[in-house]
Amino acid sequence: MLGQDADWHRRLDLGRVARLKAKLLEYDCAAGLFYDPVNIRYATGTTNMQVYSLHNPCRYAFVAVEGPVILFEFSGCEFMADGRAAVDEVRIAQAWYHFAAGPRLMEFAQSWCAEIVDLMKTHGGGNRRLAIDKMDPTGTHLLEAANIEIVDGFEVAHMARLIKTPQEIDAVRQSIDVCQEGVRRMIAATKPGMTENAIWSILHQTNIELGGEWIETRLLNSGPRTNPWYQEASERVVEEGDMICVDTDLIGPHGYGADLSRSWTVGDKKPRGEQRRLYALAHEQVLRNWQLFMPGRSFFELADLAYRMPEKYKAFEQPAIAHGSGLCNEFPLLIHSDKIRAKGHDGILEPGMVICVESYAGAPGDPEGVKLEQQILITESGPELLSDMGFDEELLS
């Protein structure tokens, strides 16, 4: 169990499902129906074919506020929920998506709908409000025809997941440890003649070796491919003196995210002056901004206080100051002051939130850029730095 005992897992599972049930009650829902594999994991503690089930709705969880948590598992996999404290019952999932049902989709969907409606009657106490995170149109229409009122289940789940339990914070710390070990190995192994993909593969290997799960994006690039940002790892061969940038987006042990960014140079050459200047800009932004995350501060106030890139770099500046993190990148998304009131929203920073603070320095036409990112925990007394891996001293000199 990845270094944690059975009691720790029991407390992890029961703590999460208690928060989820409390949020369902707050939203006046009788129950939640969750198809997103991340939300299923949060509700039940179970994991099965996480990436596959992102695009094949093959398993789901019914969570009654005043009743059981029922896991509907992929046929043949019912045993995988054995010992999970949050799961009261396991049933075989009804597969009514087209890949599995073909021309019988409507027939199977009607059978599925009848089962869900029966659960709402049994455990809803007359309340017909059901939170659903994602659903194909056929299922939505059938439930609505049965007088089930559908509520946005992603909002409910996001608000439950916003504040981390003590066991979740343990899991985040473990994932960050794995991630930082992977980044250290990448830096140590980087040499001229390697491809971006070969360097990036070291992060995967380390993550799997140490109990992690997958990586959400392909954000490693080198040299001229570091500007603009968001270019994915490729077969480009890195050269002496190139800048390397990575944004890990790593899902590590227990399914928790470690999202940090680091940049370094290839080979033994001293970093160039422009590389040092870009690195210093990104470092200053991420350093100054993570220290602003004080409990009780509003999102608007944070945006107004956040350090911005000089004008030359604003075209390619990260639009987000920061975002939440947990079982993956999570709510909230905190954007800069010039956009937050028009395209974002207000809110309050609270203890227990895990946040990733972003920076990218690179201007249009520049030969390279630099990406840095830190992960923090908001505590009662202020932000605590979780990603404690140091920065490149040569680039900071």
Side-chain angles (χ1 to χ4, degrees), residues 12-209:
L12 174 68
D13 291 357
L14 294 180
R16 292 186 301 199
V17 76
R19 282 194 56 82
L20 185 58
K21 286 192 173 191
K23 283 298 171 186
L24 286 165
L25 182 62
E26 187 178 314
Y27 279 77
D28 191 28
C29 294
L33 183 63
F34 300 103
Y35 270 89
D36 186 281
V38 173
N39 289 333
I40 296 171
R41 189 177 206 154
Y42 190 82
T44 68
T46 64
T47 173
N48 185 15
M49 302 183 291
Q50 293 295 88
V51 176
Y52 177 86
S53 58
L54 283 167
H55 56 92
N56 290 293
C58 58
R59 54 196 299 269
Y60 46 99
F62 180 87
V63 180
V65 172
E66 302 290 343
V69 174
I70 302 173
L71 174 65
F72 290 83
E73 188 54 276
F74 192 88
S75 180
C77 297
E78 301 93 313
F79 67 93
M80 294 182 72
D82 290 352
R84 301 312 309 205
V87 178
D88 298 304
E89 181 183 348
V90 181
R91 301 185 188 182
I92 296 174
Q94 295 205 48
W96 55 270
Y97 52 102
H98 187 265
F99 170 56
R104 299 182 68 185
L105 187 153
M106 181 58 73
E107 174 191 347
F108 296 159
Q110 288 171 335
S111 173
W112 162 87
C113 180
E115 186 173 20
I116 299 302
V117 170
D118 181 66
L119 288 171
M120 289 291 286
K121 288 178 179 176
T122 302
H123 302 293
N127 183 347
R128 301 184 73 83
R129 285 169 57 85
L130 176 64
I132 302 177
D133 54 1
K134 60 182 186 180
M135 177 71 56
D136 288 346
T138 299
T140 301
H141 298 328
L142 288 171
L143 288 173
E144 288 178 337
N147 295 317
I148 299 297
E149 182 182 350
I150 296 174
V151 177
D152 182 357
F154 263 122
E155 181 178 349
V156 175
H158 283 163
M159 297 310 293
R161 288 160 50 187
L162 181 69
I163 306 300
K164 306 302 182 281
T165 69
Q167 290 71 40
E168 287 188 280
I169 293 169
D170 292 342
V172 170
R173 292 184 193 278
Q174 186 174 353
S175 186
I176 290 172
D177 286 346
V178 168
C179 183
Q180 293 186 150
E181 176 61 20
V183 174
R184 289 187 189 99
R185 292 183 187 183
M186 282 195 295
I187 293 171
T190 298
K191 60 179 184 252
M194 295 180 73
T195 66
E196 293 173 355
N197 282 335
I199 298 167
W200 187 57
S201 72
I202 297 167
L203 184 62
H204 284 267
Q205 192 277 332
T206 305
N207 190 35
I208 300 303
E209 175 193 344

Side-chain angles (χ1 to χ4, degrees), residues 208-253:
I208 300 303
E209 175 193 344
L210 299 179
E213 300 192 4
W214 75 85
I215 294 176
E216 299 253 89
T217 62
R218 294 178 52 88
L219 292 175
L220 183 142
N221 41 54
S222 64
R225 300 187 71 254
T226 61
N227 187 350
W229 183 237
Y230 289 114
Q231 298 186 60
E232 296 188 330
S234 74
E235 285 298 304
R236 181 183 185 269
V237 174
V238 305
E239 301 174 5
E240 182 81 22
D242 277 350
M243 183 69 73
I244 306 282
C245 300
V246 66
D247 188 337
T248 58
D249 291 317
L250 178 144
I251 305 301

Side-chain angles (χ1 to χ4, degrees), residues 3-18:
Q4 302 289 356
D5 62 21
D7 182 63
W8 182 90
H9 279 272
R10 182 186 64 81
R11 286 181 283 126
L12 174 68
D13 291 357
L14 294 180
R16 292 186 301 199
V17 76

Side-chain angles (χ1 to χ4, degrees), residues 162 285 289-290 292-294 297-304 306 308 318-325 330-341 343-350 353-358 376 378:
L162 181 69
Q285 184 174 49
N289 284 349
W290 78 256
L292 297 174
F293 282 78
M294 300 299 295
R297 176 162 280 162
S298 75
F299 296 175
F300 284 175
E301 181 187 2
L302 175 82
D304 291 338
R308 299 296 303 272
Q318 284 289 99
I321 304 164
H323 60 80
S325 183
E330 294 183 349
F331 178 86
L333 180 65
L334 302 165
I335 59 179
H336 279 292
S337 58
D338 55 342
K339 295 184 176 66
I340 191 168
R341 287 170 174 81
K343 297 185 179 298
H345 55 85
D346 206 359
I348 299 294
L349 299 175
E350 300 178 59
M353 293 170 66
V354 173
I355 299 288
C356 300
V357 184
E358 303 260 12
I376 64 171
I378 300 177

